[in-house]
Structures are given as structure tokens and as C-alpha cells.
Amino acid sequence: ITLLRHMESTACYFLAGSLRKHQFETCHSGRLFSELAYVISFLPYYWRAMQFDKCDSTHLANMGKYVSAMVAAGARITYSRQPHYDPLWFSIVLVTSVVPTIYQLYWDFVKDWGLLNRKSRNTWLRDDLILKNKSTYYVSMGLNVVLRVAWVEIVMGFRIGAVESRLVDFLLASLEVIRRGHWNFYRIENEHLCFRTNSVL
């Protein structure tokens, strides 16, 4: 989403001739530019949500995860545009962000990673583990929680300059790349173990 938003800004500056004149506020003050921010923020979640099988209830539940993320993204954009602190919008953003985060964490740990199994011989993990050091899994779950709540920076409403704001955007986007790579490792590990178990059966 961050990449797409920056592509939107870059295209606007070039098309409007603002880059040559150094009038960088031109695009951000335009209504069309502002409305496109919502579309761009929704698109990745929408594309992912539409990749489901209507006959599979698990796929429908997974789609709900992306729909709730779309609602949270829209609320955050609206909140970030409020000129002053608005307690109502703060509450809306908090609720619409916390609920999808819990939903996503559950899906990460239980569905994608196969962890948090109460009956497992490895406490709150799964029966089969590739990594020998079990503490790695617990640390990874903690790290995933921290990376999933990066949206708190938006809700806290830090008032910083334009340059610092871009650096924060870059940092948050980098953390998301790290989170996805980290998530991928355990997802593939779980898929591999499930495939191996099914092959033996």
C-alpha cells in the first residue's frame, strides 16, 4: 500500500508539472488525489479477498480478515486527515484496527503457522517442528505481534515534519516487508510438514 501511495504521488507530480515548479502541496490538496488514496489502500486487500472458493467456509473466513483490514485502512486515512484530535474518530480507528489485528494474529498463529495447539506435545506449538530450539517459535510469535501493531504510530498522531513523516513511512513499510518474510518462513514450514504427514498417511 505504501508503495502504491508513493507511485500515486509521483505520477501526480509529473502529470501536474508540480515537480518542476516544486509545488509539492498541489497534489495533496486535490480532491481526486485524496479520494484515490482510499482506492489504493483498499485494492491490495480487495484483490486478496476475492481469491476465495465460495464453497469453502475457511476461505470465506479468510476473506473476512481482508474485509476488516479494508475498513481499518479507510478509518485510518480519514483519521489522519482530521485537522485536530477528534475523540470519536480516535475511538473508531482504535476499534476498527484492534479487531482486525486480533483476527490476523489468530489466523497467523493457528491457521497459517499451525501453532497455539493446546494438545500438542510441544507446549502451545505443534507436534512437529523443524527448528530444534522451541524458544525460537515463541520469540517469533512475539515479534509477529509487535510487527502487526505498527499501525499504533498512526493512531498516536505524532506531529512531525514532512521529511520525518516520509522516514516513518519508509520504516513502517520496511517492517511490513520483514513481517511478511518472517510470516512466509513459518507458513512454508507448516505447509511442508502437513504435506509430509499427508504423504505418509
Side-chain angles (χ1 to χ4, degrees), residues 118-133:
R118 288 179 299 170
K119 298 178 181 179
S120 172
R121 60 174 174 260
N122 299 305
T123 312
W124 290 105
L125 299 177
R126 61 173 112 82
D127 288 336
D128 297 319
L129 303 172
I130 290 179
L131 301 178
K132 293 180 181 179
N133 192 347

Side-chain angles (χ1 to χ4, degrees), residues 141-160:
M141 284 193 283
L143 179 62
N144 193 54
V145 171
V146 171
L147 295 175
R148 276 284 188 192
V149 296
W151 54 262
V152 169
E153 184 275 331
I154 298 169
V155 176
M156 293 303 291
F158 298 121
R159 300 300 175 197
I160 54 179

Side-chain angles (χ1 to χ4, degrees), residues 99-146:
V99 170
T101 299
I102 294 170
Y103 198 157
Q104 291 160 0
L105 286 170
Y106 167 79
W107 207 270
D108 286 347
F109 297 148
V110 178
K111 299 293 186 178
D112 293 333
W113 293 4
L115 304 175
L116 295 183
N117 183 356
R118 288 179 299 170
K119 298 178 181 179
S120 172
R121 60 174 174 260
N122 299 305
T123 312
W124 290 105
L125 299 177
R126 61 173 112 82
D127 288 336
D128 297 319
L129 303 172
I130 290 179
L131 301 178
K132 293 180 181 179
N133 192 347
K134 295 178 187 177
S135 62
T136 305
Y137 292 91
Y138 299 114
V139 170
S140 292
M141 284 193 283
L143 179 62
N144 193 54
V145 171
V146 171

Side-chain angles (χ1 to χ4, degrees), residues 45-184:
Y45 295 123
Y46 174 78
W47 288 328
R48 189 63 187 88
M50 290 300 102
Q51 298 172 359
F52 73 98
D53 181 356
K54 293 179 182 177
C55 299
D56 192 334
S57 59
T58 304
H59 285 207
L60 287 171
N62 192 31
M63 184 183 78
K65 181 178 70 172
Y66 295 106
V67 171
S68 64
M70 286 170 65
V71 173
R76 285 178 209 154
I77 291 173
T78 304
Y79 175 73
S80 67
R81 290 179 178 169
Q82 302 302 312
H84 305 289
Y85 172 77
D86 185 337
L88 174 62
W89 269 108
F90 178 80
S91 302
I92 291 171
V93 168
L94 205 57
V95 171
T96 59
S97 294
V98 168
V99 170
T101 299
I102 294 170
Y103 198 157
Q104 291 160 0
L105 286 170
Y106 167 79
W107 207 270
D108 286 347
F109 297 148
V110 178
K111 299 293 186 178
D112 293 333
W113 293 4
L115 304 175
L116 295 183
N117 183 356
R118 288 179 299 170
K119 298 178 181 179
S120 172
R121 60 174 174 260
N122 299 305
T123 312
W124 290 105
L125 299 177
R126 61 173 112 82
D127 288 336
D128 297 319
L129 303 172
I130 290 179
L131 301 178
K132 293 180 181 179
N133 192 347
K134 295 178 187 177
S135 62
T136 305
Y137 292 91
Y138 299 114
V139 170
S140 292
M141 284 193 283
L143 179 62
N144 193 54
V145 171
V146 171
L147 295 175
R148 276 284 188 192
V149 296
W151 54 262
V152 169
E153 184 275 331
I154 298 169
V155 176
M156 293 303 291
F158 298 121
R159 300 300 175 197
I160 54 179
V163 175
E164 291 83 355
S165 177
R166 299 293 182 271
L167 288 173
V168 170
D169 284 348
F170 175 76
L171 176 63
L172 292 176
S174 300
L175 288 175
E176 180 61 12
V177 170
I178 292 168
R179 187 195 68 76
R180 287 174 183 272
H182 173 253
W183 172 89
N184 233 9

